[in-house]
Amino acid sequence: MVTKIAVIQKPPVMLQRDATIEGMLGSIEEAADAGATLLVFPEAHIPGYPTWMWRLKPGGDMALTSEIHARLRENAVDIERGDLAPLQEAAALHALTLVVGISEIDSRFSGTTLFNSVVVIGPEGSLLNRHRKLMPTNPERMVWGMGDGSGLRVVDTPAGRLGSLICWESYMPLARFALYAQAMEIFVNPTWDSSDTNLASMRHIAKEGGCWVVSTATAIQGSDIPETFPERDRLYTPEEWINVGNAVVIAPSGEIMAGPLNREKGILYAEIEIETSLRARRSLDVSGHYDRPDIFSLTVNRAPQPPAVFIDS
C-alpha cells in the first residue's frame, strides 16, 4: 500500500501556542487537499524550539532567560487540559495521522516542569502515543526535564508501524533498538539538527532498521520571530536563517527519496510503500535473524516514573 506523506517545516509563531496551532490547521488542510495522509511537524513545533538557549549567557542573561522561559511555560501544551483538541479534530476530519513535536507541561504533578515531547495522533483523532525526550541536549537541559521510557513504543497507523525519537535521541543505539524490536516500519525524527551529519545519520538508521525515515527541522528566519519576543533584535537579525529545515524522506535502502528541502518554508511530499521496508529486512534484520540474543540482551523499562504515588485509604 502506497501512502503519501507531508513533511511540514513552516515556522511556528514563536511562544504563541494558539496562533501556532491555527497556522498548523491551515497546513493540515493544504496537505490533506494534496492527498497526504501522514503529516510530520518538527521538534518542539508548539510553541517553537527554544533556539534562544544556544545564544543566551547562562549567568549574564539570567533575567532574560527567566522571562522567555515564563512565556514558554504559559504557552506549553497541556495534554490533559485539551490543548491538542484542535489537531485531534483536524486529524479525524481529514482521516489522517499527525506526528507533532511539542513543549509539554506537566500539569499533573509539578505544574511547572516542561518536556520535549512528540505525539502521534491517529486518523480517528485519538492520541496513539506520547514520547518525552529521554535526554535533553546540552543547554536544552535548562528548558526541559528528562522523559521516561513509557513512550518508547511503535504504534499501528494506516501508513504502517510508526516509531519516533527526537533529534539527538537518534544517536542512542539502545533507544533505536528498542524501536526496531517492535517491528517498526516508519521512523520519524522531529529535530532541530539540519546538518549534513544528521542527514548521514538518518540514512544510516534507514539502512540499519530497514525502515522508512522521515526527518525535519524548522525552516525559520529571524524575521519570523514576532516583535513581542523579549529582546528579539538583540538575539536575531531579520535576514539570518536560524535553521534551514532540510526536511527529508529516506527509503529503507538508505537512498534519499525526497528532499532535503533547504531554506524553504513549505511542505515536502513523498510516497512510501511499507512492503519496501519488509523486503529490506530479508537480508538485514537487526532485531531478527541478524541479532544474537544469546550474546546481547536489552531490557527496556517502559513503566511510567511519576515523582509520587498517592495511596488513599
Side-chain angles (χ1 to χ4, degrees):
M1 181 184 71
V2 175
T3 298
K4 187 172 185 177
I5 66 175
V7 193
I8 301 169
Q9 62 173 34
K10 299 179 182 180
V13 183
M14 189 70 75
L15 294 183
Q16 297 181 32
R17 178 188 58 244
D18 296 342
T20 295
I21 291 176
E22 186 65 28
M24 293 172 68
L25 295 177
S27 296
I28 289 170
E29 186 171 351
E30 177 184 348
D33 288 344
T37 56
L38 172 60
L39 279 60
V40 174
F41 289 87
E43 178 180 11
H45 187 71
I46 310 173
Y49 179 86
T51 177
W52 58 85
M53 289 307 305
W54 297 84
R55 302 186 179 207
L56 294 172
K57 299 176 182 178
D61 288 323
M62 190 72 71
L64 178 57
T65 299
S66 180
E67 174 61 28
I68 297 175
H69 188 84
R71 298 194 187 192
L72 176 62
R73 172 173 45 79
E74 292 166 0
N75 285 274
V77 173
D78 185 341
I79 294 176
E80 294 190 15
R81 185 173 59 197
D83 288 347
L84 292 177
L87 299 180
Q88 292 176 281
E89 292 167 5
L93 175 65
H94 298 289
L96 47 80
T97 302
L98 300 177
V99 183
V100 182
I102 63 174
S103 275
E104 178 198 358
I105 189 165
D106 170 26
S107 63
R108 182 179 180 188
F109 292 105
S110 78
T112 303
T113 293
L114 306 179
F115 294 94
N116 182 351
S117 302
V118 57
V119 294
V120 182
I121 300 172
E124 296 180 352
S126 59
L127 187 66
L128 301 182
N129 193 41
R130 178 207 60 194
H131 169 63
R132 291 173 170 174
K133 192 173 186 179
L134 300 174
M135 179 58 68
T137 303
N138 290 339
E140 291 179 0
R141 294 171 199 171
M142 298 178 67
V143 179
W144 293 306
M146 292 185 290
D148 59 30
S150 60
L152 285 174
R153 300 178 186 275
V154 173
V155 296
D156 285 311
T157 75
R161 289 185 55 75
L162 186 149
S164 185
L165 295 174
I166 303 168
C167 201
W168 277 20
E169 281 189 308
S170 298
Y171 291 132
M172 302 174 74
L174 301 185
R176 295 201 308 269
F177 191 84
L179 299 185
Y180 297 155
Q182 298 175 65
M184 181 173 63
E185 297 161 340
I186 306 168
F187 175 71
V188 178
N189 180 235
T191 187
W192 186 250
D193 189 348
S194 56
S195 67
D196 290 341
T197 301
N198 182 70
L199 177 60
S201 298
M202 294 302 106
R203 297 185 68 182
H204 168 86
I205 290 170
K207 178 67 175 179
E208 178 181 70
C211 56
W212 289 92
V213 170
V214 183
S215 179
T216 187
T218 300
I220 185 170
Q221 291 178 275
S223 57
D224 295 311
I225 306 296
E227 293 181 1
T228 55
F229 191 95
E231 298 194 32
R232 179 194 67 169
D233 294 340
R234 177 167 79 87
L235 295 175
Y236 306 102
T237 59
E239 67 279 1
E240 72 166 305
W241 279 95
I242 302 170
N243 198 306
V244 298
N246 275 351
V248 67
V249 178
I250 303 170
S253 64
E255 179 184 0
I256 296 174
M257 302 303 292
L261 190 65
N262 184 275
R263 298 191 178 194
E264 184 174 339
K265 304 163 192 175
I267 303 177
L268 177 71
Y269 293 100
E271 292 187 345
I272 65 173
E273 168 59 65
I274 293 307
E275 177 66 19
T276 308
S277 174
L278 302 178
R279 294 190 179 198
R281 294 202 290 268
R282 178 188 65 82
S283 55
L284 177 64
D285 187 350
V286 296
S287 61
H289 64 75
Y290 220 85
D291 186 22
R292 285 295 304 274
D294 56 324
I295 301 174
F296 308 108
S297 65
L298 173 63
T299 300
V300 181
N301 182 5
R302 294 200 308 198
Q305 303 296 313
V309 176
F310 298 95
I311 300 175
D312 297 326
S313 56

